[in-house]
Amino acid sequence: LRFTMHLSIFLSALALLPTTLAQLSGSVGPTTNTRAKTTTKTCDITAYGAKADKTTDIGPPLAAAWAACQNGGVVDGNMIMIRDTTDFEFFSSTGKGAIQGSNGYEVHKAQGQCKGARLLRTYRVTNFSIHDVVLVDAPMYHLVMDSCTNGEVYNMAIRAGEWGCLDGIDLVSNNIHIHDVMITNKDECVTVKSPSKNILVENIYCNWSGGSAIGSLGTGTAISQVVYRNIYTWKSNQMFMIKSNGGSGYLEDVVLENFIGHGNAWSLDIDQEWSSMSKIEGNGVQLSNFTIRNWKGTEANGASRGPIKLNCADGAPCTDFKITDFAMWTETGNKQ
Ligand SMILES: *[C@@H]1O[C@H](CO)[C@@H](O)[C@H](O)[C@H]1NC(C)=O
Ligand SMILES: *[C@@H]1O[C@H](CO)[C@@H](O)[C@H](O)[C@H]1NC(C)=O
Ligand SMILES: *[C@@H]1O[C@H](CO)[C@@H](O)[C@H](O)[C@H]1NC(C)=O
């Protein structure tokens, strides 16, 4: 984890710059700090019957610990889904904690695509953080944030099997800051879905991954104010993709800056006729006001998959796109 720690230090230096939070609409994270919560009460799930023996169902102990701490405090243990709460923090107090998705890779292999439990899902949670925890081998997606507000996700490692549907982080949310995360998997790295706004994603390492994306986008897409920066992508499907086929609505005010990639199939891949998705009704999602700058590195084979692909919807042509300081070259052959 030394790599992410270095990035954290780098981030603190950057935090002095007023631009750092430009994309967010206000503060993120819980309103009560960890020390204050620990002083209130600690509800350790092992005191309520949880055992790390691969057979005991932690559901009832978790519910009991949660009930015991319902007026504030810290619940110690592994959690699966958190919903309808506020001022919430999910973390490993030693920074060494990991949640193992119970042979997720095997479950996934046996059941085929997209079946199984999400490792960690938050739903309608506000003022929260998730940090210093490792997620390993989910049966399906690793961290999904749905309809959440004012969240911070940081100092995490995610390690999945090399299959589809093992997404790292997916979010459909408002005012979320994700930073200092490394993900090894074979589907989405950090992906924003509709509706979302005020999203800042920075200092991310996508390793042998599907790569990060926005999408796939459907009818009534509403996504704005999204920044991805300092994204390192290695041997993945793409460095960044926007995917749709038909549909309607908008995706606007997007910044994709300071990307480095090597060994990836696609680099910048905006595809509004994405063939993996059947065409849906609508003239296309309107993409506007994009700033894409400072992309460096190499792509696997520039002749077959060039570093910039912009395939905008015929019925909703991309507007106000600025692509600058884009320096990438092919690893195979001598043209791109
Ligand atoms: C979330 O935090 C913000 C300020 O940080 C506060 O204004 C708001 O009331 C909080 N929301 C809830 C539901 O507690
Ligand atoms: C990157 O992924 C490869 C292939 O799964 C793995 O061997 C390697 O350990 C990963 N690197 C890191 C830093 O996690
Ligand atoms: C374009 O997007 C940037 C980044 O979100 C924002 O600062 C700027 O105000 C937007 N420009 C317009 C004309 O909306």
Side-chain angles (χ1 to χ4, degrees):
L1 283 176
R2 191 186 298 170
F3 175 72
T4 50
M5 281 175 62
H6 280 307
L7 285 173
S8 298
I9 293 160
F10 177 61
L11 179 77
S12 338
L14 273 181
L16 300 172
L17 301 173
T19 52
T20 301
L21 294 174
Q23 220 56 35
L24 304 173
S25 61
S27 65
V28 291
T31 44
T32 309
N33 70 39
T34 314
R35 189 177 305 169
K37 278 182 287 203
T38 310
T39 312
T40 307
K41 194 169 182 180
T42 297
C43 304
D44 183 338
I45 65 165
T46 60
Y48 297 85
K51 288 192 184 67
D53 60 2
K54 291 191 189 166
T55 52
T56 307
D57 178 4
I58 65 159
L62 190 53
W66 190 257
C69 259
Q70 68 174 332
N71 295 322
V74 174
V75 176
D76 254 352
N78 301 337
M79 297 182 199
I80 306 300
M81 179 173 179
I82 298 110
R83 59 175 294 168
D84 297 297
T85 189
T86 188
D87 190 11
F88 174 77
E89 192 171 357
F90 183 97
F91 63 106
S92 157
S93 55
T94 59
K96 293 178 183 165
I99 306 179
Q100 163 82 32
S102 177
N103 295 324
Y105 183 74
E106 292 299 325
V107 170
H108 195 76
K109 198 166 67 176
Q111 294 187 338
Q113 297 284 301
C114 289
K115 287 211 176 86
R118 295 162 180 84
L119 200 45
L120 178 56
R121 178 163 183 247
T122 57
Y123 179 61
R124 292 198 305 225
V125 177
T126 59
N127 296 354
F128 68 103
S129 61
I130 299 170
H131 61 96
D132 294 285
V133 64
V134 179
L135 305 181
V136 184
D137 200 17
M140 208 161 74
Y141 314 138
H142 288 75
L143 169 57
V144 178
M145 281 169 279
D146 185 358
S147 311
C148 296
T149 309
N150 302 348
E152 183 177 13
V153 174
Y154 59 99
N155 292 352
M156 287 183 61
I158 293 177
R159 181 54 157 115
E162 287 171 20
W163 292 81
C165 294
L166 296 177
D167 297 10
I169 300 179
D170 290 333
L171 64 149
V172 182
S173 284
N174 175 8
N175 200 41
I176 306 290
H177 188 188
I178 300 175
H179 60 97
D180 300 289
V181 178
M182 60 187 247
I183 298 174
T184 298
N185 65 344
K186 214 52 195 156
D187 211 324
E188 308 291 339
C189 186
V190 180
T191 287
V192 176
K193 294 169 186 288
S194 177
S196 288
K197 63 179 178 180
N198 298 108
I199 308 295
L200 175 58
V201 180
E202 56 186 345
N203 306 346
I204 307 293
Y205 175 25
C206 305
N207 175 51
W208 288 55
S209 171
S212 292
I214 299 180
S216 41
L217 307 174
T219 34
T221 293
I223 305 178
S224 61
Q225 298 278 325
V226 178
V227 171
Y228 275 73
R229 68 178 167 217
N230 310 341
I231 310 295
Y232 182 75
T233 310
W234 158 242
K235 218 166 166 22
S236 298
N237 296 6
Q238 80 267 344
M239 288 168 69
F240 200 87
M241 182 172 192
I242 292 172
K243 43 191 176 181
S244 65
N245 195 355
S248 60
Y250 62 88
L251 164 57
E252 64 191 18
D253 305 337
V254 174
V255 177
L256 306 173
E257 67 181 355
N258 311 339
F259 277 62
I260 298 174
H262 293 287
N264 303 299
W266 295 99
S267 300
L268 174 62
D269 182 10
I270 296 182
D271 192 351
Q272 294 197 270
E273 288 179 309
W274 188 42
S275 59
S276 301
M277 175 179 174
S278 350
K279 191 168 173 37
I280 55 172
E281 202 164 317
N283 288 338
V285 177
Q286 177 68 59
L287 309 191
S288 64
N289 188 20
F290 272 60
T291 301
I292 299 167
R293 66 181 161 225
N294 192 26
W295 282 49
K296 300 269 160 22
T298 51
E299 73 273 2
N301 185 338
S304 59
R305 295 183 177 114
I308 300 181
K309 175 175 173 181
L310 277 185
N311 182 13
C312 298
D314 285 347
C318 298
T319 59
D320 197 8
F321 263 60
K322 298 155 288 257
I323 302 180
T324 54
D325 199 7
F326 202 106
M328 296 199 58
W329 189 241
T330 184
E331 285 160 26
T332 317
N334 55 11
K335 61 176 181 179
Q336 64 181 19

